[in-house]
Amino acid sequence: MAAKLSVQSDWDQVLRKVEGEAWISCKIAGKPTIYGSLKCQCISTDGVPKLISSDEFVVHEITKKSITVSCPGQNISGKFLSPYTSFSRVHSKNVTCLDISSGGALGLSTSTDQTMKIWQTSNGEIRVRKENLFNWAGKVVLSGGMDAQVKIWSVDGGSCPVTLKGHKGGILDLAIVDRGRNVVTCSRDGTARLWDCGQAACIAIVNNIVNNSCVPINAIALGAVDNAVNLGSPKEVPSDREIGTEGKLLILAREDKMLEGTSLHSRDSVFIFEGSDAFNCCTFISSMDILAGGQDGNIFHLDVRNPKTPVETICRTDSPVLSLVPFKDGYIASHGDGSCFIAQGFDQVLQLTGPDCAPVYQVAAWEKFVYTCCRDGLVRKYQLSDL
């Protein structure tokens, strides 16, 4: 694990008060953790605190919402961003899934309170309430539940005109193909299925099931890949109900430590990569590059043209990687210990603060805003222009 700087989760609130004090630490694998403190001496006229730090740490820059600190003795620095705002009334229990509409005006979230709610991203005001939903395309929302069913709902009217049945275990993730006439789902039953939404029918089981194995597929990612990747050709003439599957690679994050790439059009297995623990999430960050996060905190960066050896393996915490999303020229990763990082260009890292060791289950981004959902029941909104 790489060296890691951490700061008290509510540092921005504590240090807004004169004499307010927050802890800071530097953790390096194999060495004792270094602990220190930040203390507010006074507040400037523009509301920015003036800080002093304990000897082991140096404060380089501070604004109302961000702080940059280093530990010179260990040659490490870190930048932290606190929430722009938090929505505490969207759900009453753990917030488990999150998405943002294409225009950025609406948020969609689910909770262990057994509800899905659509809310305004400007103020958290509830617009629509339904049960167990977690992904949408245009004016519809797609849901997958532990009842093994996939449902398609109307955002405007709240009706459910389509239910997709065929999986034998709970639905764990889904991906929309092209403009949404087809979708792909994965399940605890070990299968990934391609669906025709218009006819509510399963077109095909996409992945190859070996020896009747039912290894859960925890997450999937779908993307168009570089022409250098051999995706094979269909052995049979594809259904005319199959739209937009050509040139697409489906990534399967499996419970058995395997990350598999499968051609959505030909159904051929393109590669299998063995990780260090169960894979929880995956995403494309370009037509050549994918990321996959494991239960042990490792994030593997693979080039799909040569996936046998990782481009790099990133580990900022040994806590499970729960969510990975592409963001500008990098990505955002959230973890089970409440850590949430924005990596830009794979060398500049920004840590989002707020959760106090509570898992951040999912992240969504839209333009300059990043949203997170957490076990503490809060949806947090970060504004990157606050940097």
Side-chain angles (χ1 to χ4, degrees):
M1 184 180 71
K4 179 187 175 185
L5 279 178
S6 299
V7 69
Q8 187 170 317
S9 61
D10 60 348
W11 67 268
D12 60 315
Q13 300 174 43
V14 172
L15 297 178
R16 286 177 185 171
K17 302 174 182 178
V18 176
E19 300 297 320
E21 189 171 353
W23 62 261
I24 186 169
S25 68
C26 178
K27 183 177 182 180
I28 300 177
K31 296 182 179 180
T33 299
I34 300 170
Y35 294 97
S37 64
L38 305 172
K39 190 172 183 179
C40 177
Q41 288 184 308
C42 62
I43 306 293
S44 66
T45 55
D46 58 359
V48 177
K50 181 179 180 181
L51 305 181
I52 57 173
S53 63
S54 51
D55 293 342
E56 302 87 350
F57 299 91
V58 176
V59 177
H60 295 276
E61 182 183 18
I62 184 167
T63 69
K64 290 182 180 180
K65 293 292 183 181
S66 70
I67 185 171
T68 303
V69 186
S70 70
C71 182
Q74 302 299 325
N75 193 30
I76 180 175
S77 64
K79 193 165 190 174
F80 303 88
L81 180 67
S82 64
Y84 172 74
T85 189
S86 297
F87 303 134
S88 60
R89 298 182 180 180
V90 176
H91 293 286
S92 60
K93 294 184 179 180
N94 305 355
V95 188
T96 55
C97 290
L98 176 73
D99 202 0
I100 303 297
S101 66
S102 57
L106 297 177
L108 168 73
S109 55
T110 65
S111 168
T112 53
D113 63 14
Q114 298 300 307
T115 64
M116 179 284 294
K117 296 180 181 178
I118 295 176
W119 37 272
Q120 294 181 178
T121 56
S122 58
N123 56 17
E125 181 180 335
I126 305 301
R127 294 284 297 273
V128 181
R129 303 168 188 259
K130 283 287 174 186
E131 295 182 355
N132 298 330
L133 303 166
F134 69 88
N135 206 338
W136 55 11
K139 293 185 178 181
V140 298
V141 174
L142 281 70
S143 74
M146 289 301 103
D147 61 359
Q149 296 184 28
V150 179
K151 296 186 177 184
I152 302 176
W153 306 76
S154 166
V155 171
D156 295 330
S159 62
C160 177
V162 178
T163 299
L164 309 178
K165 299 179 180 180
H167 279 294
K168 306 301 182 183
I171 310 300
L172 297 179
D173 201 1
L174 61 83
I176 297 165
V177 183
D178 204 35
R179 296 187 177 183
R181 288 181 60 178
N182 298 149
V183 298
V184 184
T185 58
C186 68
S187 166
R188 291 187 185 278
D189 66 11
T191 66
R193 292 174 180 257
L194 176 67
W195 301 87
D196 172 12
C197 296
Q199 294 186 348
C202 179
I203 296 174
I205 294 177
V206 179
N207 59 319
N208 296 316
I209 309 299
V210 180
N211 298 325
N212 295 317
S213 174
C214 294
V215 177
I217 301 172
N218 294 324
I220 55 177
L222 181 65
V225 294
D226 187 273
N227 292 332
V229 180
N230 182 9
L231 297 179
S233 300
K235 296 175 178 60
E236 299 177 359
V237 178
S239 165
D240 59 2
R241 304 293 298 181
E242 185 175 325
I243 307 297
T245 60
E246 299 90 343
K248 302 289 193 338
L249 182 67
L250 181 68
I251 306 300
L252 312 175
R254 294 173 13 186
E255 183 71 19
D256 62 355
K257 305 182 184 181
M258 299 299 180
L259 188 75
E260 183 175 4
T262 297
S263 169
L264 187 59
H265 192 54
S266 71
R267 326 288 194 239
D268 290 346
S269 180
V270 177
F271 72 83
I272 295 180
F273 171 79
E274 184 173 0
S276 50
D277 207 336
F279 281 107
N280 295 329
C281 51
C282 54
T283 191
F284 279 86
I285 55 173
S286 76
S287 63
M288 299 177 291
D289 299 279
I290 58 174
L291 299 176
Q295 186 68 14
D296 58 2
N298 281 332
I299 299 174
F300 294 95
H301 174 197
L302 302 180
D303 185 327
V304 294
R305 297 167 300 182
N306 183 25
K308 293 183 179 180
T309 304
V311 175
E312 61 180 330
T313 302
I314 306 124
C315 187
R316 296 189 177 89
T317 169
D318 55 9
S319 181
V321 188
L322 301 182
S323 177
L324 285 168
V325 297
F327 184 71
K328 297 184 178 180
D329 59 346
Y331 66 94
I332 309 174
S334 70
H335 293 262
D337 62 359
S339 300
C340 190
F341 302 94
I342 299 179
Q344 296 174 298
F346 294 95
D347 54 1
Q348 299 178 356
V349 177
L350 171 68
Q351 186 168 339
L352 306 182
T353 61
D356 187 8
C357 300
V360 177
Y361 293 118
Q362 202 156 30
V363 179
W366 185 79
E367 293 190 349
K368 64 180 180 180
F369 294 106
V370 173
Y371 301 82
T372 64
C373 64
C374 185
R375 190 176 66 184
D376 62 12
L378 296 181
V379 174
R380 291 179 172 86
K381 178 181 181 178
Y382 299 84
Q383 181 172 297
L384 297 190
S385 59
D386 283 333
L387 296 175

